[in-house]
Amino acid sequence: MCLSVLQIPTIIGTAHIIWEEISGLDENYTPIRTYQVCQVMEPNQNNWLRTNWIEKGDAQRIFVELKFTLRDCNSLPGVVGSCKETFNLYYQETDLEVGRNIRESQYVKIDTIAADESFTQGDLGERKMKLNTEVRIIGPLSRRGFYLAFQDVGACIALVSVKVYYKKCWSIIENLATFPDTVTGSEFSSLVEVEGTCVSDAEEEADNSPKMHCSAEGEWLVPIGKCICKAGFHQKGDACEPCGRGFYKSSSQDLQCSRCPAHSYNDREGSWRCDCEDGYYRALSDPPSVACTRPPSAPQNMLYNINHTTVSLEWTPPADTGGRNDVTYRIICRRCTWEPEECFPCGSNVGYSPQQSGLTDTYVTITDLLAHANYTFEVEAVNGVSDLSRTQRLFAAVSIATSQAVSIFPVFFLSAPSQVSEVIKERVQQHSVQLSWQEPEQPNGVITEYEIKYYEKDQKDRIYSTVKSKSTSATVNNLKPSTAYIFQIRAFTAAGYGTFGPRVEVTTKEESTGSGDEQNPVIIIAVVAVAGTIILVFMVFVKFPGTKTYIDPETYEDPNRAVHQFAKELDASCIKIERVIGAGEFGEVCSGRLKLPGKRDVSVAIKTLKVGYTEKQRRDFLCEASIMGQFDHPNVVHLEGVVTRGKPVMIVIEYMENGSLDAFLRKHDGQFTVIQLVGMLRGIAAGMRYLSDMGYVHRDLAARNILVNSNLVCKVSDFGLSRVIDDDPEAVYTTTGGKIPVRWTAMEAIQYRKFTSASDVWSYGIVMWEVMSYGERPYWDMSNQDVIKAIEEGYRLPAPMDCPPGLHQLMLDCWQKDRADRPKFDQIVGILDKMIRNPNTLKTPMGTCTRPISPLLDQNTPDFTSFRMVSEWLEAIKMERYIDNFTAAGYSSLESVARMTIEDVMSLGISLVGHQKKIMSSIQTMRAQMLHLHGTGVQV
Ligand code: AMP
């Protein structure tokens, strides 16, 4: 309880100056001043004493403590009945000091005060007084101040002291909240509710603000709610102190500061969390109490397995999980182009099982990859902090690229063929249906077979049967009459089956009774005979519908008409030229993009006609477009259109990322499987079959005139008339006039300019040789004259290294002297398909298919015995990139090289099989040459 003394009243006078100010002694004989009155002898006393004006301040309830003595009337000698033993206490509220201007009647009586202890003896002046203490309460007060008044009505009183006070609750700190000095309420029973204020660095507990109640007695009662130290601070006594360095308190709810968790620190006081050390992070969901963690190290022990266009990857978890247990894996798939060597994300067509990211298991299967493309896969281990760290991610990417990424470059994949969608019902009978279809738009390889699946439409359990066909038509027999069947077709290549095309419904004919055509053999023969005749006539005199004939643009009087008949005029604004990629005879060849309205933009090659051209040059330039525009085949370069109405004049062609085949093969010497090489040859043959079917003779078929796209699809290009050959740096003038690419050209074409599809077949044989020898120059550095001579004498190019004998035989067939003996392109396609279907026929036992030793060949095979240095020999066989490998392994002489085995070659770190074979083959030749020279063999 607290008392607040308002003001010690001085008794400044009375209305009736009967009260006297007298000195005396209190109980303890301490001198005191008192006001006294003792008019007991006379009746009707009315003696007033009043205080000065007392300002009440905040108080509403005032306590008045009176100390006084009072004389017992009985003890007074001679006193009559007028003697009193009480006096009255009054008060009067005013806002101002009003002096004496209050009438007695205006005072409000507080109480009549009687003495608890009156005294009886002694003389008033010298006796020891017995002091009474009485307290009275006034209130509630409403004015600024008040007067107190004492009325004597005939007693003998000595007023020793008057203490006027009020009560308040003193400021305290309770539950970390400060409660200010609070004056008690006006009523005895009132509790004053007081809101606490949190001490510094503390905050109110949620929904629990601090309150206390100040009682009328000036006591704090009923504390409610509390404050708590803010994050970063903890409670010490009635205050909040900051957490020390190396400590933190993350929330006001926590009681204590804690030491920083592992891999975190702070060097400030009052921290609510600790910062992570460099290279360590906290995931958003990580509370500040957990250790800082880092991205995991890379997955380990990567294994992969390739199955056609599906790749399976397996790995073991990273050595370091970064201190977390939420490690998952994500796969980054990139497809890389050859030229320029750039890698792009694989996009959404690739499938991942079970998924691409968020993998919890350590394996994944990647499906639907493209055929003939190279991919790089990276498996990244990821945890909750991987995405927070840029530097760490870069680091992870680098480390993955070196040790964990499975770069299967240069492994090429085959992807399955696309759907067979255009199915035609050729003939529907009671028991059979004949169907034909188009080759799928993207065969992605050589289609060796089609599978026709069929079932009865209304059959409940959907049991289906299949029929296979090697061509694009098939007859399905043994069907029920009047029955609806569903047919679906899919293509098969070395990459496996494609997906089935759309369902085709066919209802067989009704069962005929009696003389149905299927019942009567006589009629059948007649019908077949007639049909056969019709078909024969049809074949002889009518071009098979669907096979267009090539029209020579030269036959047009106005060459512009030819261009616009066969080529689409493009708006130049749809074309964006990006960079120059080559030089053509008429101007630059650029790459760029074509965006036709409503279509996706596509990469294109743009051939431009240089400024200052003559009319003839323009005609010749556009002639290629007039020819190309007539073709539509997956193995023939596709013309997008021309720009003839603006400048520069342009021919826009589909973009072939890997450029011309000869340069491409030379760049990737030894890097393909035989099947892949045969796949390329098959594509070229299919393109040529199409061109020859249209009656177009190419005249300049050579690997340099084949373009390769990013999927390793080869397409025939470079169309023109005589100018194409003029343009060819390989073309030379012959005695028959005109320029001819001698090494690629059939004898009859060189001799008397007999260019036919059969002479294209000869050239095709040379292309086969170029492909199988990875872009070697036909007849090496023999002169054109020598080539012509050798050919006339019956010499033919030997099989390139590791060339399957069957393929070399096909080349030799293409180089038959009599052109009628050469295979047709259709047959070539068939033979290659057969080889692809039976890859065993393409196996070459090591060393069985090296170049035959012929006198001619001997002239062109370097004499290895003439070399003195290993480096000279390696340069001669174009394997100089391995000079360091040989030197490091200590092979300093050709003699030591001649003793090497295939294992020795492999142990040098030469991993490409093609290169191993090339080197071994050369070593074998070297041995043979040494044997010939010295008459002694080399011991191996
Ligand atoms: P050409 O005038 O047809 O001999 O073309 C010159 C060079 O341009 C070729 O050797 C190719 O490297 C390049 N080129 C031509 N056409 C294309 C194309 N469609 N895609 C990519 N490169 C091409």
Side-chain angles (χ1 to χ4, degrees):
M1 173 175 82
C2 310
L3 299 180
S4 189
V5 178
L6 279 174
Q7 196 175 353
I8 300 293
T10 42
I11 297 172
I12 53 163
T14 61
H16 310 272
I17 41 174
I18 303 297
W19 289 79
E20 290 176 292
E21 195 177 348
I22 293 172
S23 294
L25 296 170
D26 72 3
E27 289 162 306
N28 305 319
Y29 300 100
T30 311
I32 51 168
R33 301 274 299 168
T34 62
Y35 285 92
Q36 296 188 2
V37 65
C38 198
Q39 298 291 321
V40 291
M41 297 302 185
E42 290 160 46
N44 301 325
Q45 291 298 308
N46 185 20
N47 308 314
W48 287 78
L49 175 72
R50 92 166 159 71
T51 64
N52 56 349
W53 189 68
I54 303 166
E55 198 172 343
K56 83 169 170 61
D58 293 331
Q60 298 182 64
R61 197 159 171 263
I62 301 291
F63 292 77
V64 180
E65 184 199 80
L66 305 174
K67 290 194 184 227
F68 61 93
T69 59
L70 196 77
R71 187 80 185 263
D72 184 354
C73 284
N74 292 333
S75 68
L76 291 167
V79 169
V80 286
S82 59
C83 177
K84 300 284 184 317
E85 290 182 356
T86 59
F87 63 94
N88 296 319
L89 178 64
Y90 290 85
Y91 79 106
Q92 171 60 40
E93 283 190 88
T94 61
D95 282 325
L96 294 167
E97 216 174 325
V98 290
R100 293 165 179 266
N101 298 334
I102 306 171
R103 275 174 279 120
E104 287 163 13
S105 60
Q106 286 178 300
Y107 282 98
V108 180
K109 184 167 175 181
I110 299 170
D111 206 357
T112 298
I113 312 289
D116 292 332
E117 294 202 51
S118 50
F119 58 94
T120 54
Q121 287 163 22
D123 185 279
L124 208 76
E126 19 180 92
R127 72 180 168 257
K128 185 184 137 210
M129 291 189 288
K130 284 219 168 172
L131 206 56
N132 290 282
T133 303
E134 291 291 328
V135 177
R136 293 293 178 274
I137 300 168
I138 51 174
L141 299 178
S142 53
R143 301 266 172 106
R144 283 185 56 225
F146 59 92
Y147 293 93
L148 287 178
F150 308 90
Q151 183 194 27
D152 168 53
V153 285
C156 194
I157 316 161
L159 197 54
V160 177
S161 82
V162 177
K163 188 159 89 184
V164 179
Y165 61 90
Y166 63 92
K167 291 186 181 179
K168 68 177 182 181
C169 297
W170 284 108
S171 157
I172 59 160
I173 295 177
E174 180 84 22
N175 288 335
L176 294 179
T178 306
F179 296 89
D181 284 356
T182 305
V183 176
T184 57
S186 56
E187 303 291 338
F188 171 70
S189 57
S190 66
L191 285 181
V192 178
E193 187 185 88
V194 182
E195 302 246 351
T197 311
C198 293
V199 299
S200 64
D201 302 316
E203 64 191 24
E204 288 180 5
E205 201 175 54
D207 299 327
N208 203 13
S209 57
K211 281 186 195 135
M212 287 250 267
H213 296 86
C214 180
S215 73
E217 286 307 304
E219 280 170 322
W220 288 109
L221 300 175
V222 205
I224 300 172
K226 61 177 174 178
C227 294
I228 43 181
C229 289
K230 287 179 181 166
F233 293 83
H234 69 131
Q235 186 173 359
K236 188 104 184 260
D238 278 337
C240 292
E241 286 192 348
C243 298
R245 289 183 189 168
F247 286 81
Y248 76 101
K249 201 187 93 172
S250 62
S251 149
S252 54
Q253 305 292 328
D254 298 338
L255 287 178
Q256 295 300 327
C257 298
S258 307
R259 196 175 284 283
C260 287
H263 301 296
S264 69
Y265 70 98
N266 69 41
D267 46 19
R268 281 168 288 112
E269 290 190 332
S271 299
W272 68 272
R273 56 172 229 160
C274 301
D275 297 326
C276 289
E277 288 168 7
D278 270 358
Y280 286 86
Y281 307 89
R282 221 176 246 130
L284 283 179
S285 57
D286 285 351
S289 57
V290 305
C292 292
T293 51
R294 58 181 171 184
S297 58
Q300 310 179 89
N301 308 320
M302 186 83 74
L303 292 175
Y304 66 93
N305 181 29
I306 307 163
N307 183 7
H308 299 302
T309 54
T310 298
V311 169
S312 305
L313 304 175
E314 240 180 86
W315 57 91
T316 55
D320 174 13
T321 61
R324 306 184 64 89
N325 54 13
D326 58 354
V327 174
T328 60
Y329 304 93
R330 66 176 162 222
I331 313 299
I332 297 149
C333 169
R334 288 202 201 90
R335 188 158 70 83
C336 303
T337 58
W338 288 110
E339 196 67 66
E341 214 168 284
E342 281 179 294
C343 298
F344 303 95
C346 292
S348 55
N349 291 339
V350 171
Y352 301 85
S353 173
Q355 63 221 39
Q356 186 178 9
S357 58
L359 285 164
T360 48
D361 292 319
T362 54
Y363 54 81
V364 71
T365 303
I366 303 149
T367 56
D368 303 328
L369 296 163
L370 289 180
H372 309 301
N374 77 76
Y375 287 88
T376 298
F377 298 103
E378 292 171 2
V379 180
E380 195 184 354
V382 182
N383 65 16
V385 296
S386 294
D387 288 340
L388 296 175
S389 146
R390 259 186 70 192
T391 48
Q392 196 72 26
R393 259 244 291 257
L394 279 175
F395 165 77
V398 171
S399 74
I400 282 168
T402 53
S403 60
Q404 271 72 36
V406 180
S407 175
I408 15 191
F409 178 90
V411 173
F412 295 87
F413 298 106
L414 301 168
S415 70
S418 62
Q419 280 191 359
V420 174
S421 45
E422 285 170 41
V423 179
I424 298 163
K425 301 170 214 172
E426 295 286 356
R427 210 168 135 83
V428 180
Q429 298 282 43
Q430 292 165 6
H431 296 287
S432 67
V433 170
Q434 190 191 348
L435 302 172
S436 73
W437 54 89
Q438 295 278 312
E439 203 176 68
E441 229 167 67
Q442 285 151 345
N444 294 331
V446 180
I447 295 172
T448 50
E449 202 167 69
Y450 290 93
E451 186 180 70
I452 302 99
K453 168 171 115 172
Y454 63 98
Y455 53 87
E456 280 178 44
K457 188 184 170 200
D458 299 325
Q459 170 199 309
K460 270 203 207 86
D461 37 7
R462 287 275 159 91
I463 297 170
Y464 61 81
S465 312
T466 56
V467 164
K468 305 228 162 139
S469 167
K470 303 252 178 273
S471 66
T472 52
S473 68
T475 304
V476 180
N477 294 308
N478 298 325
L479 303 176
K480 291 185 199 159
S482 315
T483 308
Y485 283 90
I486 301 293
F487 294 87
Q488 280 177 283
I489 302 172
R490 63 178 179 176
F492 181 78
T493 66
Y497 278 110
T499 45
F500 277 110
R503 292 183 176 81
V504 177
E505 184 178 333
V506 185
T507 304
T508 46
K509 276 197 179 160
E510 272 179 36
E511 183 113 53
S512 52
T513 46
S515 56
D517 52 2
E518 288 181 290
Q519 315 285 321
N520 189 333
V522 181
I523 294 177
I524 293 170
I525 292 162
V527 170
V528 168
V530 172
T533 317
I534 291 168
I535 290 165
L536 200 68
V537 169
F538 185 75
M539 277 165 55
V540 170
F541 299 103
V542 188
K543 269 264 170 197
F544 193 75
T547 308
K548 287 193 295 187
T549 311
Y550 162 72
I551 300 166
D552 183 348
E554 296 267 284
T555 58
Y556 279 70
E557 257 176 49
D558 175 5
N560 268 328
R561 254 201 63 218
V563 176
H564 288 117
Q565 170 139 7
F566 301 121
K568 185 156 75 182
E569 179 74 27
L570 300 172
D571 189 342
S573 66
C574 302
I575 301 161
K576 195 169 128 213
I577 295 181
E578 284 172 343
R579 60 193 173 91
V580 177
I581 52 167
E585 195 201 34
F586 297 98
E588 285 168 338
V589 182
C590 304
S591 66
R593 313 217 38 103
L594 172 68
K595 170 81 185 77
L596 291 175
K599 291 208 174 153
R600 269 205 358 225
D601 72 333
V602 289
S603 291
V604 287
I606 304 143
K607 290 188 171 185
T608 56
L609 178 59
K610 61 189 164 218
V611 287
Y613 53 82
T614 63
E615 192 45 42
K616 178 169 184 321
Q617 279 172 325
R618 183 180 191 270
R619 216 176 41 228
D620 287 351
F621 175 71
L622 289 174
C623 182
E624 184 177 13
S626 306
I627 297 170
M628 207 188 294
Q630 299 185 45
F631 305 140
D632 179 19
H633 187 271
N635 295 104
V636 176
V637 170
H638 172 72
L639 176 77
E640 295 287 354
V642 291
V643 178
T644 62
R645 304 207 171 107
K647 278 186 182 166
V649 176
M650 294 186 261
I651 299 178
V652 182
I653 312 161
E654 72 174 301
Y655 186 57
M656 301 292 286
E657 292 85 346
N658 283 313
S660 53
L661 178 61
D662 60 336
F664 176 69
L665 288 170
R666 283 196 278 271
K667 189 167 168 213
H668 298 288
D669 190 358
Q671 294 180 355
F672 301 108
T673 61
V674 171
I675 290 269
Q676 285 174 319
L677 296 175
V678 176
M680 296 181 208
L681 288 174
R682 197 273 179 192
I684 302 165
M688 286 308 297
R689 175 178 62 183
Y690 171 83
L691 294 177
S692 64
D693 281 352
M694 280 191 70
Y696 177 78
V697 179
H698 192 289
R699 293 173 177 230
D700 197 10
L701 181 58
R704 65 183 168 279
N705 290 332
I706 303 293
L707 291 172
V708 187
N709 74 7
S710 60
N711 290 333
L712 230 63
V713 175
C714 291
K715 307 200 182 193
V716 181
S717 92
D718 248 86
F719 303 103
L721 299 163
S722 56
R723 74 99 196 148
V724 175
I725 296 175
D726 291 343
D727 175 26
D728 190 339
E730 285 291 350
V732 289
Y733 286 101
T734 61
T735 47
T736 52
K739 280 169 101 180
I740 284 177
V742 169
R743 285 154 213 270
W744 283 265
T745 307
M747 290 168 73
E748 72 278 8
I750 296 174
Q751 286 166 353
Y752 49 97
R753 302 186 64 75
K754 182 72 189 163
F755 286 98
T756 58
S757 287
S759 63
D760 278 350
V761 166
W762 179 293
S763 309
Y764 179 80
I766 303 290
V767 171
M768 285 181 74
W769 192 91
E770 290 183 279
V771 169
M772 298 313 293
S773 60
Y774 284 97
E776 180 65 276
R777 180 167 163 74
Y779 312 98
W780 305 280
D781 47 8
M782 285 169 70
S783 71
N784 282 328
Q785 277 314 312
D786 285 349
V787 170
I788 294 172
K789 222 169 116 216
I791 295 298
E792 280 175 355
E793 287 171 9
Y795 171 76
R796 296 294 182 268
L797 280 166
M801 201 170 20
D802 299 320
C803 169
L807 279 178
H808 186 231
Q809 188 53 54
L810 184 55
M811 294 178 204
L812 294 173
D813 290 346
C814 294
W815 302 325
Q816 285 286 346
K817 186 172 181 190
D818 185 347
R819 66 176 188 275
D821 294 338
R822 294 174 205 155
K824 305 281 178 291
F825 279 114
D826 188 40
Q827 290 167 303
I828 295 173
V829 171
I831 292 166
L832 294 176
D833 282 354
K834 220 178 196 164
M835 290 178 175
I836 292 166
R837 272 202 302 274
N838 304 301
N840 280 344
T841 59
L842 292 170
K843 285 214 172 103
T844 331
M846 261 270 270
T848 57
C849 194
T850 49
R851 288 171 193 165
I853 305 288
S854 72
L856 181 88
L857 187 70
D858 277 350
Q859 283 170 21
N860 291 286
T861 305
D863 177 4
F864 295 130
T865 58
S866 68
F867 295 137
R868 293 205 339 270
M869 318 258 287
V870 175
S871 55
E872 277 178 287
W873 161 67
L874 286 170
E875 275 160 20
I877 62 169
K878 294 193 187 133
M879 290 285 110
E880 58 271 23
R881 70 184 79 176
Y882 297 119
I883 289 175
D884 287 347
N885 304 47
F886 278 80
T887 313
Y891 290 99
S892 52
S893 69
L894 287 174
E895 281 72 24
S896 60
V897 169
R899 287 193 193 91
M900 289 177 81
T901 61
I902 181 72
E903 288 78 21
D904 295 334
V905 172
M906 284 160 77
S907 72
L908 297 184
I910 299 170
S911 54
L912 290 174
V913 177
H915 291 181
Q916 291 168 359
K917 288 180 177 173
K918 191 165 186 175
I919 290 167
M920 267 323 285
S921 160
S922 174
I923 289 174
Q924 282 167 354
T925 310
M926 194 190 303
R927 271 189 215 140
Q929 289 171 341
M930 284 175 174
L931 183 70
H932 181 71
L933 190 69
H934 307 297
T936 52
V938 175
Q939 292 293 311
V940 179

